[in-house]
Amino acid sequence: MFENLQNKLDKAFKTLKGQGRITEINVAATIKEVRRALTDADVNYKVAKDVTDRVKQKALDRKVLIAVEPGQLFVKIVQEELTELMGTEAKQINLKGDPAVILIAGLQGSGKTTFSGKLAAYIKKQGKNVLLVAADIYRPAAIDQLKVLGEQVGVEVFSEPENKNAVSIVTNALAHAKRTNKKVVIVDTAGRLAVDEAMMQEIENVKKALNPTETLFVVDSMTGQDAVNTAKTFNERLDFDGVVLTKLDGDSRGGAALSIRAVVNKPIKFMSTGEKMDALDIFYPDRMASRILG
Ligand code: GDP
């Protein structure tokens, strides 16, 4: 995960960490290299600039040049800034409600259905009775996929393959959940290959009908700045509560992870690191920053 970024930051820190004399000039050069490493990782340009400006200011304030361990202090400052950039603290999902309703949104292929299965398993482990709902009215295969995952994790899947009205499906699903005493309902929605008006309108209607406890936006971290732009568009329409970053196991750059919170101002709540049902973790900004800095 994030190997390219790790290597570049490591190289940037070399002069400061090594034996060489620390001067204002090589601190400035390192800051420039850090910014370059971030933009190469597909971090939003403005985000990269703001972060490195803050690093510079902190380096001045804490007198990096005359510190006993200038290199270490500098890396610590970068670590603090990256942690803050990704949200500082882990944010949990809200499972209050009877039942709590979690709406899952995102583009097709982002990993929505896989995540829905994982989340169901994660919540079931907490001893809660969960219902998965297949609300994709365009792709029958998506319903089958969710059914397979539901079976795998031992969670009931609600679907109405003949019903072509997403709002009516989720309304029926909610009634079923109440009848069968489910505590959490996870609704996997339809995704298209690109953002389009009909899809946005449909999911807005679904959200209105469900009044969910939590709306999560799922995005493929490997798509970098595209992920950030898609997040912006979804957020404008859905005002979601959190982001789920998927496919981090294949992301060598880290641009989406580092920019999405700053650009959209919504926390990253989960990270997905594989296709298996247990490859799901809560997103901890500080751990992620430590990982990036090696
Ligand atoms: P959806 O169209 O948004 O529902 O996406 P899917 O859940 O069907 O996922 C699309 C593909 O990505 C599938 O082949 C998944 O197995 C795969 N996938 C999902 N999440 C991850 C992940 O975290 N890591 C990896 N490597 N693959 C994933």
Side-chain angles (χ1 to χ4, degrees):
M1 196 191 290
F2 308 162
E3 306 79 13
N4 289 354
L5 177 60
Q6 264 171 2
N7 293 340
K8 283 187 181 151
L9 286 175
D10 213 36
K11 239 171 91 190
F13 298 143
K14 274 254 154 65
T15 36
L16 295 185
K17 275 182 173 166
Q19 301 301 319
R21 216 164 65 85
I22 306 283
T23 66
E24 220 166 290
I25 293 170
N26 56 27
V27 168
T30 303
I31 287 173
K32 212 168 147 190
E33 263 189 78
V34 169
R35 183 180 301 176
R36 179 80 178 273
L38 293 173
T39 48
D40 283 354
D42 211 12
V43 170
N44 175 286
Y45 179 77
K46 188 174 177 302
V47 171
K49 185 176 179 311
D50 289 351
V51 167
T52 44
D53 284 350
R54 282 198 299 271
V55 168
K56 197 175 183 175
Q57 192 55 48
K58 270 196 180 172
L60 282 174
D61 291 350
R62 295 201 201 159
K63 303 190 169 48
V64 161
L65 284 179
I66 53 166
V68 181
E69 300 271 8
Q72 271 182 23
L73 178 57
F74 187 85
V75 175
K76 187 164 174 283
I77 291 171
V78 174
Q79 181 164 356
E80 287 167 6
E81 286 304 322
L82 295 187
T83 303
E84 203 179 311
L85 188 61
M86 290 184 285
T88 310
E89 280 179 3
K91 296 277 189 309
Q92 307 281 347
I93 52 166
N94 179 4
L95 291 179
K96 292 203 182 89
D98 200 14
V101 178
I102 305 171
L103 180 64
I104 314 291
L107 295 182
Q108 187 176 313
S110 59
K112 270 190 319 298
T113 304
T114 308
F115 169 72
S116 300
K118 289 176 180 179
L119 185 65
Y122 174 85
I123 294 171
K124 187 185 167 205
K125 257 198 208 147
Q126 300 175 13
K128 293 194 161 94
N129 209 351
V130 185
L131 179 70
L132 277 164
V133 180
D136 191 332
I137 54 172
Y138 309 97
R139 291 193 317 134
I143 300 177
D144 296 338
Q145 190 190 348
L146 195 65
K147 277 188 180 159
V148 170
L149 295 178
E151 203 152 292
Q152 216 175 307
V153 300
V155 167
E156 183 186 345
V157 176
F158 181 95
S159 69
E160 291 182 335
E162 305 306 320
N163 190 344
K164 295 295 170 209
N165 181 331
V167 169
S168 143
I169 295 172
V170 299
T171 309
N172 295 342
L174 209 52
H176 177 79
K178 284 182 181 153
R179 260 195 320 270
T180 53
N181 212 13
K182 301 290 194 291
K183 292 294 171 233
V184 181
V185 179
I186 300 171
V187 181
D188 182 20
T189 59
R192 305 282 164 76
L193 289 172
V195 174
D196 70 54
E197 182 50 34
M199 169 194 174
M200 283 299 175
Q201 194 56 56
E202 178 186 284
I203 192 145
E204 257 187 67
N205 294 343
V206 165
K207 186 174 178 188
K208 260 189 218 136
L210 275 175
N211 190 20
T213 327
E214 183 92 24
T215 303
L216 295 176
F217 168 69
V218 178
V219 72
D220 177 347
S221 70
M222 291 199 288
T223 58
Q225 279 312 292
D226 281 347
V228 177
N229 292 331
T230 313
K232 256 201 286 222
T233 311
F234 271 79
N235 193 44
E236 279 158 17
R237 298 294 291 265
L238 284 181
D239 190 22
F240 55 69
D241 303 294
V243 177
V244 178
L245 276 181
T246 63
K247 310 189 194 181
L248 277 170
D249 49 314
D251 182 9
S252 62
R253 306 209 292 168
L258 282 162
S259 352
I260 219 160
R261 213 243 9 135
V263 173
V264 184
N265 200 22
K266 293 289 166 74
I268 302 169
K269 295 197 171 176
F270 287 101
M271 56 187 243
S272 166
T273 51
E275 295 182 88
K276 296 226 176 77
M277 285 297 100
D278 59 358
L280 180 71
D281 289 291
I282 289 174
F283 186 85
Y284 292 97
D286 53 343
R287 289 186 201 171
M288 189 51 88
S290 304
R291 199 165 176 160
I292 290 170
L293 295 175

